[in-house]
Amino acid sequence: MRIIDLLKPNAIELNASVQTKDEAIDKLVSLHTQAGNLNDAEAYKQAIYTREAQGTTAIGEGIAVPHAKSDSVKTPGLSAITVANGVDYNAPDGKNSDILFMIAATMDGDLHLEILSRLMVMLMEGEFCNSLRNAKTVDEFLEIIDKKESEKYPDEVKQASQQKQGYKILAVTACPTGIAHTYMAAEALEKAAEKMGFSLKAETNGSGGAKNVLTKSEIAECDGIIIAADKNVEMARFDGKPVVKTSVSNGINKPEELIQRILDGKAPVYHEQGGSTASSDDDLEKEGFGHKVYKHLMNGVSHMLPFVVGGGVLIALGFLIDTLLGNAVMPDGSANGSFGFTSFAASVPFWIGKIAFGFMLPILSGYIAQSIADRPGLLPGMLGGMIAANGYTFNSMFENQNMVGDGSAVSGFLGALFAGFAAGLIVNGLKKVFAWLPKAMDGIKPVFLYPLFGTILVGALMCLLNPIIGTVNTAVSNMLSSLGETSQILLSIVLAAMMATDMGGPFNKAAYVFGTAAIADGNTWIMAAVMIGGMVPPIAIALSTTFAKKKWTEEERKNGPVNYLMGLCFITEGAIPYAASDPLRVIPSCMVGSAVAGALTALFNVTCPAPHGGIFTFVVCEHPLLYIVALLAGSVVGALMLTLLKKDKTTVK
């Protein structure tokens, strides 16, 4: 709490006509009453005298600060007077007191001690006290205090200013995985706002859930909101507010431009009607068809990833345990068909992982549908994904009572994608179909009518189309499995390079999704190229900052070693700050390094059954030592190319 917030103008009197200590106390108490700080003036005055009986509150050098905690105080506050010749306040140095502050504190807390301490720090400076004595007006008196307090406590003054003024601009940032881009966009927006002289609060929708959540009062009082997200965020709360909606990459790269749109009043007003967005031709930043599809797809992928990663790693752990126990190979040297669950120790993580992995496709399609049609699309979408995963058809339903699907009709990843988009569009269509119902039915439509009819329609559609999509899915899987060595190398090069193209963006995510889908179909060599392609960029940058120091700024060199760990953990986003500062040199170098590493994994016949984990999953890969060789080779090539292309930034002694 700042002094300037506790000291009201009507609680100050300059050159007060008081002759004694008692008169000074009466005057200060009356000023508190005038400012509305007290419930009972007499009770408070008695509390002041009780405190004075314990020892004088005069400090010396003309300063006195009487204070008391009392139930008679309604609102914490200060009163102040200056006295031309001072009054005898029993000061230790025997001098009269001519500057007097009185602190009124409530019984809860120790506010009086905090304010007393702050006053003492300021009043120790003779020049400050002389300025108060010479103040001609109350406003000048307050300005002197405000200036000194701002000087002594700059951080608290800034915080108090933000609390008082509120946040002029709010933001929400979100990326599909919620690991790096989410927080980078938030930081970029906050720094840009601070540089432009404004306060901005950013809510992050990361992998650990929403943090720094925007409150209702902050939304109501702000001038506008920036949504920098590549997945859907809760928008209904922004109804009636100016909103700029853009990609998370724009939040990182164009924060000043986005903030300026709010400041210039060019952000369209967002409207939410009946669970759907009502927008005019001028409403919101325009999204291309491709970006809309990508956003819906990434909403499904971001929710699917925990199941893929957790389930995949547990399955791989089952493989590892069986390998260590010697159960992976039959006595004749051939592979054991039950590899992964031939022992109890291996079976527990293996089957738990299989169960978790089994949720992958329903979650993917369900959250794609939710992104398109909001919550009513979730059930139809998940049902469509379940039908795709199990190969259910009309024939399989009629032919057996145990609901065993047709193996040849399993449409897999392609079917789940189709089901998700179909479910979202069908539910949106149902919203229009049932629009004629009276408003009294609005509450029942999203929880009963849309899910009910949507589920029936999507279920019937998937049972009808599953055999067709299943045939396509089987053909793709067989094609990948039958690729020759040359074709595998080319595909590995392309996928690994894609991982380094935008380091967490659409190309990176497309390659990763392709790799995880391939794992489900048993083509684990694809994931090996994908993972190594994502590991190379941070490590290549770390190598260059370590051994070619003159090519980098001091800050870049200091942060470089962190990328060793990020690269080994398969967090490609560690390379983003370096790529953003010099994309024409950093990105091509990283792509070449990743492509080399991807080609080597194919040449070495490396496979990777785990969809995440980086170096920690190498033990469950086929040919793990050669995988490490590929990683080192790709990283060194990327670092060398980067070092050759970069210009000198500093002189290193």
Side-chain angles (χ1 to χ4, degrees), residues 374-638:
D374 211 345
R375 291 184 183 178
L378 186 59
L379 172 59
M382 292 188 75
L383 177 93
M386 183 66 74
I387 292 174
N390 289 279
Y392 294 135
T393 65
F394 287 126
N395 285 338
S396 68
M397 290 180 181
F398 294 139
E399 289 176 357
N400 65 80
Q401 297 179 349
N402 296 322
M403 282 302 292
V404 177
D406 183 347
S408 63
V410 173
S411 56
F413 193 80
L414 293 178
L417 288 179
F418 177 83
F421 283 100
L425 295 174
I426 286 172
V427 172
N428 275 346
L430 290 172
K431 292 178 182 179
K432 296 179 180 179
V433 170
F434 290 111
W436 59 272
L437 290 174
K439 196 166 184 64
M441 296 286 289
D442 282 355
I444 200 171
K445 286 191 286 187
V447 296
F448 178 68
L449 295 179
Y450 302 153
L452 174 64
F453 287 97
T455 300
I456 293 173
L457 293 173
V458 171
L461 179 65
M462 288 305 298
C463 285
L464 179 67
L465 297 181
N466 238 3
I468 300 172
I469 303 175
T471 300
V472 175
N473 186 64
T474 301
V476 171
S477 179
N478 291 339
M479 184 264 297
L480 291 173
S481 299
S482 62
L483 282 177
E485 182 177 300
T486 302
S487 299
Q488 284 193 13
I489 293 173
L490 288 175
L491 183 57
S492 296
I493 289 172
V494 171
L495 291 173
M498 285 175 67
M499 292 296 293
T501 301
D502 50 7
M503 303 171 189
F507 286 99
N508 175 284
K509 290 295 183 294
Y512 183 70
V513 169
F514 187 76
T516 55
I519 287 179
D521 291 330
N523 297 301
T524 53
W525 60 270
I526 294 176
M527 194 66 225
V530 169
M531 189 176 297
I532 207 168
M535 295 171 69
V536 164
I539 298 176
I541 288 170
L543 287 170
S544 183
T545 58
T546 301
F547 297 104
K549 297 181 183 295
K550 64 182 180 179
K551 302 288 183 177
W552 306 92
T553 65
E554 184 178 351
E555 183 178 356
E556 288 172 334
R557 292 199 306 271
K558 184 175 69 174
N559 296 326
V562 176
N563 276 316
Y564 285 117
L565 180 60
M566 297 187 80
L568 292 173
C569 292
F570 186 42
I571 302 177
T572 318
E573 287 89 344
I576 289 176
Y578 298 86
S581 65
D582 192 3
L584 294 180
R585 294 179 178 86
V586 174
I587 293 177
S589 301
C590 291
M591 289 178 66
V592 170
S594 292
V596 168
L600 290 175
T601 61
L603 280 172
F604 296 154
N605 294 318
V606 177
T607 63
C608 181
H612 210 291
I615 193 73
F616 302 105
T617 64
F618 280 23
V619 290
V620 299
C621 297
E622 199 169 325
H623 308 304
L625 294 179
L626 291 177
Y627 205 5
I628 294 173
V629 170
L631 177 62
L632 290 174
S635 299
V636 169
V637 168

Side-chain angles (χ1 to χ4, degrees), residues 153-340:
Y153 306 96
D155 293 338
E156 291 186 14
V157 170
K158 178 182 175 182
Q159 183 180 6
S161 175
Q162 287 185 343
Q163 289 173 345
K164 185 175 180 181
Q165 297 174 7
Y167 293 97
K168 189 175 181 70
I169 302 171
L170 302 177
V172 180
T173 63
C175 68
T177 53
I179 295 174
H181 287 73
T182 299
Y183 304 101
M184 292 172 66
E187 184 178 6
L189 287 164
E190 287 171 348
K191 285 185 176 179
E194 184 177 358
K195 185 179 178 181
M196 297 168 73
F198 298 98
S199 58
L200 180 146
K201 177 180 178 181
E203 172 184 307
T204 54
N205 279 253
S207 56
K211 299 289 190 300
N212 208 27
V213 177
L214 308 180
T215 66
K216 288 184 179 179
S217 61
E218 289 168 346
I219 294 169
E221 295 169 7
C222 76
D223 289 348
I225 301 105
I226 297 169
I227 308 295
D230 283 340
K231 66 176 185 177
N232 280 0
V233 299
E234 183 188 347
M235 293 293 296
R237 52 187 166 153
F238 304 134
D239 186 34
K241 300 297 293 187
V243 173
V244 173
K245 196 172 184 184
T246 187
S247 64
V248 71
S249 61
N250 282 341
I252 298 172
N253 301 315
K254 302 178 181 178
E256 295 90 351
E257 182 181 324
L258 298 174
I259 292 170
Q260 197 61 50
R261 286 187 62 183
I262 298 288
L263 299 177
D264 293 342
K266 294 181 180 179
V269 175
Y270 176 80
H271 295 290
E272 182 85 8
Q273 295 181 355
S276 62
T277 303
S279 55
S280 65
D281 291 339
D282 297 327
D283 195 14
L284 304 182
E285 184 175 284
K286 299 298 183 293
E287 286 185 288
F289 175 77
H291 187 263
K292 287 182 180 179
V293 171
Y294 170 75
K295 186 176 68 174
H296 298 319
L297 173 61
M298 287 300 104
N299 191 63
V301 169
S302 66
H303 286 88
M304 175 190 78
L305 281 179
F307 296 88
V308 176
V309 173
V313 169
L314 286 172
I315 291 172
L317 182 60
F319 291 161
L320 174 63
I321 293 172
D322 255 355
T323 301
L324 295 175
L325 294 176
N327 297 325
V329 180
M330 299 290 283
D332 62 359
S334 62
N336 191 334
S338 57
F339 176 39

Side-chain angles (χ1 to χ4, degrees), residues 362-385:
I363 292 294
L364 171 68
S365 57
Y367 280 95
I368 289 174
Q370 187 203 43
S371 180
I372 297 170
D374 211 345
R375 291 184 183 178
L378 186 59
L379 172 59
M382 292 188 75
L383 177 93

Side-chain angles (χ1 to χ4, degrees), residues 22 63 104 121 143 145 148 174 269 284 372 419 549:
D22 290 340
I63 309 299
V121 170
E143 285 175 10
I145 295 174
K148 179 56 66 175
V269 175
L284 304 182
I372 297 170
K549 297 181 183 295

